Every structure is written in C-alpha cells, then in structure tokens.
Amino acid sequence: MSGRHEETKMNINWYPGHMKKTRELIENNLKAVDIVVEVIDARIPFSGANPMIEEITAGKARHVVLSKTDMADPDATARWIEYFRNRGAEATPVNGLTGHGVEELLKEVKEKTRDVREAKKRPARMMIAGVPNSGKSSLINRMAGRKGARVGDRPGVTTGKQWIKISNGMELLDTPGILWPKFEDPKTGLHLAFCGSIKDEIMDTETLALGLIRYLDAEHREELFLRYSLSEDKIDDEDPEEEIFDSDGHPVEKKDRGLAVMEAIAVSRGFLMSGARPDIKRTAVTVLDEFRSGKIGRMTLEEPELYGDDRG
C-alpha cells in the first residue's frame, strides 16, 4: 500500500562528542588500510550512507555493503545496488546473521586490493565504517568466523578501534558508528532514528514511535495490521473531514489516526494501565523494537528513484 503519511517533527540532539573522535580515528588510520568498506542498512540506503565517510576516505578504494537484507524489500535492494553502481560504487547485499553475501564481499575486496597486496606482499587491510547500528559488528563476526566484535541492537556498542584478523588472512579495522553534523532533509534523521542509529535515550521515544506508526499505516498497513491483529473497526479515529463539537458548540480536536492506531496496538497486545488506559510508552518501545528486528515485515523506507546525487 502507498500513501502520504503525516510528517513527524522532532528535535533530535544526535551529534555527541564521540562522533568527532570517531572522525579523527578514521582519518588517523586511513594510511594503514587498503580499502574502506561502508556498511549501510538496506532499509535506508540513502539516509544510512554517511556523506562524511565518502569525504574523509576520498582517494581510497571503497566498497558498499547493504546489510540487514533479510529485513529489507529484496526488489528495492536490487534497485539500490544498481543505484550505487551507476554512481561508481559497487555494492554487495549481505546478511551478517546468516552469512549470505560474505564470500562475495571478500572476493570483491580481494580483487580491488590486488595491486597493493602484491606490491606490499601482505594480506589486504580493510576498514569497516558506517553509521551506528548499521550491522557492522554482525558482518565482522561472520567474516572472522568467531565472536570477534561485540554485537548489539543499539548504537554505541563499538566504542574504539579494533583490529581483527579474519579467516583468509585479511585484517580489518572496526570503527565506532559515526553520524554527520547536519541533516539537510529532516526525513533522514527520522529514518535513522526509526532504524535505531540514534540513541533512544536522547529522543522522545513515544513521538518517534508515533511517527513510525503513521508511516507504516500509510505505506505498509497490511503488514502492520497483520502483526498486531488490527482491523479498521478497531481503530477509534474520526473522519478528518467531519467537524466535531461539544455540548456547548465548541469545536473538539479530532483524534489523530496515528495515535488511534497506536492505542489499538496497545489494546491488542494487552498493554493497559489502570482504568483500561492504553500504555503508550510500552507500546512505543515494542513497535520500535519489532520494526528494528524485522518482525513487522520486510520493508525498505527509501526508494532509489526518489533520490538524486545530492543529499538535500
């Protein structure tokens, strides 16, 4: 299903001090690596591609990984791969949990670093970079064949650089997730927040979840309703065209459909407080967690046809 979802406005304070330190870490270690592999969440290939990484690593061989492909729409992923290829960046779809695509990625890296490997007579060295919670650690664990990097479903798990030797002799440098100082498009910040790339602790989680529900209700209603056993007769909202007045003739503010859907999810899951009031906070946390883990369905938030070369 497609449609227009209401804009969710949030004041996101998303650029903490460690982001500056991560940029410096990347810059200071570029000489030690032969290729930079940027890991991008396949559900948000535009918002999840950090323009600062491309800027910092200019001149180095670069390869893009579209991670978490098991949670993304496969047709959209194929079109995004073509999008990156048309812009001079090869992209490999990878599922870090199952290992799908990892062998292909290693072959690509080996091919792109052939000249420098032969000249320096040593295995390839790659840097793994990306925004927080992009799937870097799961990918590294797969490449290393062991628990070489800490993995979590929240940003900030990797806090310092880690050199890791992988099974074919290559060495890789893991770096903490890094965001950039300014989002030109507010939707970029929202999409990153939806996918867990910005810490929930610095945001209004309930408002964020409401924005996600509005999006899902407009664009993926079938999957949303199926996941939470919803139906239209359970949505207690009002006709936006109908004016409602109280007994004194004063206009009454109509209930927002997104909030009505959120309350219906709370009722369906039994998230109720005293007086049978919907527990919005618990519902917000649940919807965000289940979207981020792919339980609501395989979906991509961004279509390549909507994006040009600029990030504005």
Side-chain angles (χ1 to χ4, degrees), residues 25-91:
L25 185 151
I26 292 174
E27 291 173 330
N28 293 339
N29 286 276
L30 269 179
K31 290 183 179 179
V33 301
D34 308 314
I35 187 170
V36 176
V37 175
E38 182 177 7
V39 182
I40 302 172
D41 190 324
R43 296 170 296 179
I44 50 170
F46 187 78
S47 297
N50 188 338
M52 195 162 64
I53 291 177
E54 186 173 1
E55 172 196 332
I56 296 170
T57 61
K60 280 286 180 182
R62 180 170 170 263
H63 196 84
V64 171
V65 165
L66 291 181
S67 66
K68 305 186 180 184
T69 53
D70 56 315
M71 303 181 194
D73 175 4
D75 178 66
T77 297
R79 286 183 285 119
W80 273 108
I81 290 172
E82 187 66 21
Y83 172 96
F84 282 108
R85 182 176 294 121
N86 289 339
R87 285 155 181 76
E90 290 297 318

Side-chain angles (χ1 to χ4, degrees), residues 14 34 38 47 76 98 170 203 237 264 275 298:
W14 49 268
D34 308 314
E38 182 177 7
S47 297
T98 66
M170 291 185 189
M203 296 183 297
D237 64 340
R298 297 183 67 173

Side-chain angles (χ1 to χ4, degrees), residues 37-308:
V37 175
E38 182 177 7
V39 182
I40 302 172
D41 190 324
R43 296 170 296 179
I44 50 170
F46 187 78
S47 297
N50 188 338
M52 195 162 64
I53 291 177
E54 186 173 1
E55 172 196 332
I56 296 170
T57 61
K60 280 286 180 182
R62 180 170 170 263
H63 196 84
V64 171
V65 165
L66 291 181
S67 66
K68 305 186 180 184
T69 53
D70 56 315
M71 303 181 194
D73 175 4
D75 178 66
T77 297
R79 286 183 285 119
W80 273 108
I81 290 172
E82 187 66 21
Y83 172 96
F84 282 108
R85 182 176 294 121
N86 289 339
R87 285 155 181 76
E90 290 297 318
T92 302
V94 168
N95 182 339
L97 295 179
T98 66
H100 178 75
V102 171
E103 286 301 317
E104 180 182 349
L105 170 63
L106 293 176
K107 288 179 182 177
E108 292 283 352
V109 169
K110 192 172 183 180
E111 178 62 28
K112 285 185 175 182
T113 59
R114 176 184 297 175
D115 291 345
V116 69
R117 286 188 294 105
E118 292 178 352
K120 296 184 177 181
K121 301 186 185 307
R122 59 163 174 73
R125 292 175 180 170
M126 72 181 90
M127 176 184 289
I128 306 294
V131 303
N133 201 34
S134 60
K136 295 188 290 92
S137 294
S138 294
L139 171 62
I140 290 169
N141 286 346
R142 272 288 165 182
M143 289 194 291
R146 59 181 174 83
K147 290 292 183 181
R150 291 167 290 172
V151 176
D153 59 1
R154 299 164 68 83
V157 173
T158 303
T159 57
K161 71 176 183 179
Q162 302 180 76
W163 277 103
I164 299 170
K165 183 170 288 188
I166 59 180
S167 54
N168 64 359
M170 291 185 189
E171 294 180 347
L172 60 87
L173 176 64
D174 184 19
T175 60
I178 180 173
L179 292 170
W180 59 106
K182 183 182 179 182
F183 299 144
E184 297 297 333
D185 185 346
K187 288 183 181 178
T188 296
L190 271 181
H191 289 178
L192 286 165
F194 287 162
C195 292
S197 294
I198 301 171
K199 289 186 176 181
D200 289 338
E201 289 85 346
I202 63 175
M203 296 183 297
D204 180 344
T205 303
E206 293 172 29
T207 302
L208 179 64
L210 178 59
L212 176 59
I213 289 170
R214 285 173 175 161
Y215 167 79
L216 295 174
D217 182 49
E219 304 293 340
H220 299 279
R221 185 173 297 171
E222 183 177 352
E223 296 97 320
L224 180 70
F225 276 34
L226 181 63
R227 177 64 187 173
Y228 296 107
S229 303
L230 303 180
S231 59
E232 281 299 330
D233 63 322
K234 295 180 181 179
I235 309 301
D236 182 22
D237 64 340
E238 286 92 15
D239 183 347
E241 301 299 326
E242 179 186 358
E243 288 191 272
I244 303 176
F245 301 90
D246 63 18
S247 58
D248 295 323
H250 298 125
V252 176
E253 184 177 353
K254 291 186 286 290
K255 181 180 291 186
D256 171 81
R257 177 176 170 86
L259 180 57
V261 173
M262 197 174 196
E263 291 178 349
I265 293 173
V267 172
S268 178
R269 282 292 176 90
F271 298 161
L272 302 175
M273 300 185 295
S274 61
R277 292 177 297 120
D279 189 336
I280 296 301
K281 183 175 183 179
R282 186 178 178 189
T283 304
V285 171
T286 297
V287 171
L288 287 170
D289 285 349
E290 294 191 353
F291 170 77
R292 291 167 182 172
S293 61
K295 293 178 180 177
I296 297 177
R298 297 183 67 173
M299 54 190 71
T300 301
L301 304 188
E302 301 168 345
E303 298 291 333
E305 295 78 12
L306 300 179
Y307 296 91

